[in-house]
Amino acid sequence: MAASQQRRDLTQGPIGSALLMFALPTLGSSVLQSLNGSINTFWVGHFLGEEALAATSNANMIMFLMNAFVFGFGMAATVLIGQSYGRRDIDAVRRTIGTAVGAFVPMTILIAVLGWVFAPHILDLLSTPPGAWQLALDYLRVIFIAIPLSLIIVLLMMGLRGVGDSMTPLYFMIVAVVLDSGLNPVFIVGLGPFPAMGIAGAAMATVIANLVGLIAMVAFIYMRDLPLRLRGAELRYLRPESAMLRTITAKGFPMGLQMIVISVAALVMIGLVNEEGVDTAAAFGVAQQLWTYVQMPAMALGAAVSAMAAQNIGAGRWDRVSRIMRSGLTLNVVMTGGLVIALILLDRPALAIFLDPDSPATAIARHIQMIATWNFVLFGMTMVFFGIVRANGAVFAPLIILFVAMFPVRLTFIALARPALGADALWLSFPLASIVTVVLAGLYYRFGGWREARMTVPPSKEECVEEALGTSEPAGRLNPAA
């Protein structure tokens, strides 16, 4: 057990290699998630057709918003766990995960119940096409059953990364993906003893995969006696501590809003692109498919940098924090930059996966790639800066920076440049927004007050009394009359 915990210690040893080895499993988990979505889309499209694809697309948008919700609170809990683990306070690690799980299990169950009841109204709000409406309802209601399972899995995975363990989440991501993608055709068409469930079968495969994955992960945590496990008297930590829950909520809400800002900005951009016609919209859709993979190293490095910085801040190793930042920037340039160069050099075969080479959308997509894809190197640098500062509880500045770049800067540029540049104004807005974001993020890292921010849980009144009575002499509490 001691050796196992030592391997998760991010406060000692070489920084660059440790950061890379921590980020790679996180990157692997992201790739598996995307591949799972692609495989499931193939099964649905192959067996059920275009209307079913439209139905799953509407439901997946809702799932993304749910994941954005849990991302913020999970990231806040991860930072608290990382700082606690860095200072070797395993009890604080368990109190944090207990509060997070104890608060979010009832909340996710409530979301599932409300989602089941109001699913028809949600689909009406999304203007779901009439031909896909009933299919979307059948799919969405089963997906809402899976939401508590999937969100708790995400929370536990983020908690494990907080104690420096990025391999265990990868193991169980593999389990979930294999089950989900493998069971999709079984339940859709009814193979063997299973009934044909149609589109609801695709959702049922997700429910079973998440259930098995969650049970297996919890069993693994207890079998290996990992820091997140609760036993005996520690089970009382599942009753949320009010002070800790306030901290997680106060820090997690702005982090979740960052995901919402990015999502809304993407929806606005899709609306602007659609005005350019079908070929341009198709080309942009394909570019987004490829960009999903290009941005993965940046996201993985941002999570790795945040976990490593949190542990070192908790351990008081501020001398290592700036080195973590520099290593993160270097690895981002190598990893993301390498993918960008490969995509530009191999754009024809990459685009041929989605488009006919003779399609007019292919030339447009190549043009978009040349103009905009390199901005993900800057995006990765921003994720490193944001990962460092949020490891000490600074969450509002990144939110404001993202909002400014995504809306006032990007939309103003498009409005002013589009009459002269046409659609190129849309593609140029990506690197422009990334330049503004990375400059502001770098300035905040260098000159902002994030080092004075604290991701701390205020002590309860009882803890203050215990501390005062337990660490002072009676005479020392007598103050002279002024």
Side-chain angles (χ1 to χ4, degrees):
M1 178 58 190
S4 174
Q5 286 195 356
Q6 182 64 29
R7 285 195 299 270
R8 295 191 296 268
D9 185 359
L10 303 177
T11 65
Q12 301 177 26
I15 288 176
S17 58
L19 187 61
L20 178 62
M21 296 309 295
F22 186 85
L24 285 177
T26 305
L27 175 60
S29 296
S30 298
V31 171
L32 284 171
Q33 275 186 307
S34 294
L35 287 175
N36 184 46
S38 299
I39 293 170
N40 291 349
T41 298
F42 169 80
W43 290 128
V44 171
H46 181 72
F47 289 119
L48 301 174
E50 289 78 7
E51 289 183 343
L53 282 177
T56 58
S57 176
N58 279 266
N60 288 336
M61 186 184 303
I62 297 167
M63 282 296 292
F64 178 84
L65 292 175
M66 293 295 99
N67 283 325
F69 163 79
V70 81
F71 168 82
F73 297 106
M75 195 66 238
T78 298
V79 171
L80 278 174
I81 288 170
Q83 290 192 5
S84 300
Y85 192 78
R87 61 177 181 267
R88 300 297 178 270
D89 189 349
I90 302 301
D91 186 68
V93 169
R94 291 170 178 159
R95 285 168 47 222
T96 303
I97 196 64
T99 290
V101 171
F104 293 130
V105 165
M107 191 179 301
T108 57
I109 292 174
L110 178 62
I111 290 172
V113 172
L114 293 176
W116 177 281
V117 173
F118 292 104
H121 306 285
I122 295 172
L123 293 175
D124 289 339
L125 189 64
L126 291 173
S127 300
T128 304
W133 194 92
Q134 187 59 49
L135 290 169
L137 180 63
D138 295 341
Y139 183 82
L140 184 58
R141 278 188 158 160
V142 181
I143 280 294
F144 268 114
I145 297 174
I147 278 181
L149 303 172
S150 62
L151 295 188
I152 297 304
I153 286 175
V154 170
L155 184 63
L156 290 178
M157 285 183 171
M158 296 179 78
L160 286 167
R161 292 185 184 119
V163 296
D165 183 358
S166 60
M167 284 303 301
T168 298
L170 176 61
Y171 296 150
F172 292 99
M173 180 60 67
I174 293 172
V175 171
V177 167
V178 169
L179 283 174
D180 194 2
S181 57
L183 290 175
N184 254 267
V186 173
F187 289 112
I188 289 174
V189 300
L191 298 179
F194 300 99
M197 300 176 63
I199 194 169
M204 182 58 67
T206 300
V207 172
I208 293 175
N210 285 334
L211 178 61
V212 173
L214 179 59
I215 292 172
M217 186 189 300
V218 172
F220 185 86
I221 288 171
Y222 277 83
M223 286 170 56
R224 293 297 183 92
D225 199 35
L226 299 182
L228 299 190
R229 68 105 181 104
L230 302 176
R231 282 201 177 103
E234 294 168 342
L235 291 172
R236 72 183 187 277
Y237 296 156
L238 289 171
R239 181 179 181 181
E241 295 182 20
S242 57
M244 184 172 290
L245 187 58
R246 283 196 300 271
T247 299
I248 292 174
T249 302
K251 300 296 185 180
F253 186 67
M255 293 187 197
L257 278 182
Q258 291 177 34
M259 299 290 288
I260 302 299
V261 166
I262 293 173
S263 302
V264 172
L267 291 174
V268 171
M269 184 58 64
I270 288 173
L272 294 172
V273 170
N274 286 341
E275 296 174 2
E276 299 293 327
V278 174
D279 289 336
T280 301
F284 182 66
V286 170
Q288 284 186 304
Q289 286 286 333
L290 297 175
W291 289 347
T292 297
Y293 293 93
V294 174
Q295 71 183 358
M296 284 181 182
M299 300 295 288
L301 282 169
V305 161
S306 189
M308 179 174 274
Q311 284 199 19
N312 282 274
I313 290 170
R317 297 295 307 272
W318 282 93
D319 57 303
R320 289 169 58 89
V321 173
S322 59
R323 291 161 56 199
I324 293 169
M325 182 273 295
R326 290 193 294 271
S327 293
L329 293 179
T330 301
L331 286 172
N332 168 69
V333 170
V334 173
M335 296 170 68
T336 306
L339 275 179
V340 169
I341 292 171
L343 183 57
I344 290 174
L345 294 177
L346 302 172
D347 61 342
R348 287 184 183 275
L351 292 171
I353 298 172
F354 305 97
L355 293 170
D356 188 297
D358 297 325
S359 168
T362 298
I364 299 172
R366 293 189 69 205
H367 182 66
I368 295 172
Q369 297 282 356
M370 291 296 296
I371 292 177
T373 303
W374 66 274
N375 91 92
F376 286 100
V377 177
L378 303 179
F379 171 78
M381 296 171 67
T382 300
M383 290 298 99
V384 170
F385 285 128
F386 283 176
I388 293 287
V389 301
R390 74 185 179 200
N392 202 39
V395 293
F396 285 101
L399 174 62
I400 294 169
I401 290 171
L402 270 180
F403 179 84
V404 169
M406 293 294 104
F407 291 100
V409 170
R410 176 181 281 182
L411 296 183
T412 300
F413 172 78
I414 291 173
L416 295 176
R418 201 173 187 182
L421 300 178
D424 281 354
L426 302 176
W427 323 137
L428 288 169
S429 73
F430 283 94
L432 174 64
S434 291
I435 290 170
V436 171
T437 305
V438 75
V439 168
L440 293 178
L443 289 173
Y444 181 69
Y445 173 83
R446 178 66 179 84
F447 301 107
W450 66 274
R451 292 171 181 82
E452 285 70 48
R454 288 292 180 267
M455 190 75 170
T456 55
V457 179
S460 65
K461 179 180 178 181
E462 292 78 9
E463 289 174 322
C464 292
V465 171
E466 283 185 20
E467 182 71 13
L469 296 178
T471 60
S472 60
E473 293 295 332
R477 296 195 297 273
L478 297 176
N479 296 319

